[in-house]
Amino acid sequence: MQRITTLDEFIITRQKSYSSATGELTGLLRDIGLAAKIVNREVNKAGLINILGKFDQENSSGEQVAKLDIYANDRLIEFLKTSGECAGLASEELEDIIPFPARNNKYGKYVVLVDPLDGSSNIDVNVSVGTIFGIYRRLGNEDSPVDLRDFLQKGTELVAAGYVIYGTSTILVYSTGDGVNGFTLDPTIGEFCLSHRDIKIPAEGPYYSVNQGYYLKFDLEMRRYIDYCSDLNLRLRYIGTMVADIHRILFQGGIFLYPNTRKYPKGKLRLLYECNPLSYIVEQAGGQAVNTNLERILEMEPEELHQRTSVLMGSPKMIEEMKDFVLKYSPNIHSEIE
Ligand code: AHG
């Protein structure tokens, strides 16, 4: 029988292969893994204890949040604040950044952006939810606390990103820019174990994932492309937890679409907390991620913490085909190109 490799062992082995690595990023990833285990425990208990239900408050984007969102948010803050490597955190659940205090007169080298519990509307009905994270090297030096600029970096500057899906199994998928690996939580030993080495997204696949209920609210080119997917008899799968929809596409191939709608003219999903980290993973696995203007998500310039964007990501061949539809049917993009 092959010996298992735990997440901690894997991270440390990877670190040793970089002579310049100081171990700080390694420590940060391990802390995120630890926080994920604690969140996983509570997510699993959600049906058993009186933790379900809504807090009487709204998150910074004006949506009602479930109690577990707050729980996950608090655990991540707790673990990252004491890690020493993290200089501050920004969360989809919080209006502003949280600068962390110095340890031994030094502030951490990295900042972390998180969506603590993606897909929270699915909790009450026992459907998969997730945690998404992105890690950047801070811009200023370690003698001063972080400020907003450290968080408003383009996705191309990510040094690591990943997600955890709390599904039939709990799986953590991450990349530090040299491929993507997945780890399944073995509840009997409480460890994330390497289960999916060097994940590659299929060039095309049988799935398209979009909220078809908004069909009439999409622009013409998106409607044409969705019609084309349907004509091809592609299978429509939409969970409403981005992590879960992307997880399927990462392994089985397909395309995920959350275009702009009349209600969300710039798109609904958050650039910094959802789209950048997941685009990074998809690109590292060989896929592509763009917005409806066909700009690469990772190259979008962030202007504010809770910026939203349209997003189209998945298998490379399918994204290329989708781009052809956009170029053919979108009058705006045509005139910009001509
Ligand atoms: P939230 O975490 O607030 O529940 O948002 C979930 C996000 C994303 O995960 C998902 O793909 C999308 O919102 C679903 O939005 P619609 O319900 O508008 O399709």
Side-chain angles (χ1 to χ4, degrees), residues 56-73:
D56 191 17
Q57 66 180 85
E58 297 198 328
N59 73 8
S60 56
S61 305
E63 294 156 355
Q64 230 185 359
V65 291
K67 276 187 182 179
L68 272 173
D69 285 22
I70 306 291
Y71 183 86
N73 192 52

Side-chain angles (χ1 to χ4, degrees), residues 319-330:
I319 296 281
E320 286 301 333
E321 215 166 35
M322 180 275 303
K323 285 180 184 169
D324 290 343
F325 271 82
V326 172
L327 289 173
K328 187 166 169 191
Y329 291 106
S330 165

Side-chain angles (χ1 to χ4, degrees), residues 59 61 63-65 69 92-93 115 117-123 129-130 132 209-214 238-246 256-258 261 263-264 268-270 274 278 308 311:
N59 73 8
S61 305
E63 294 156 355
Q64 230 185 359
V65 291
D69 285 22
E92 193 195 311
E93 297 301 335
D115 180 354
L117 214 60
D118 176 54
S120 44
S121 66
N122 279 329
I123 297 167
V129 289
I132 310 174
S209 185
V210 63
N211 189 333
Q212 188 100 21
Y214 301 152
Y238 191 69
I239 297 166
T241 295
M242 188 183 186
V243 165
D245 284 312
I246 296 300
F256 174 88
L257 313 164
Y258 205 117
T261 60
K263 182 173 174 193
Y264 294 110
K268 175 190 169 188
L269 300 175
R270 313 313 186 290
E274 295 164 321
L278 294 178
R308 296 175 191 267
V311 62

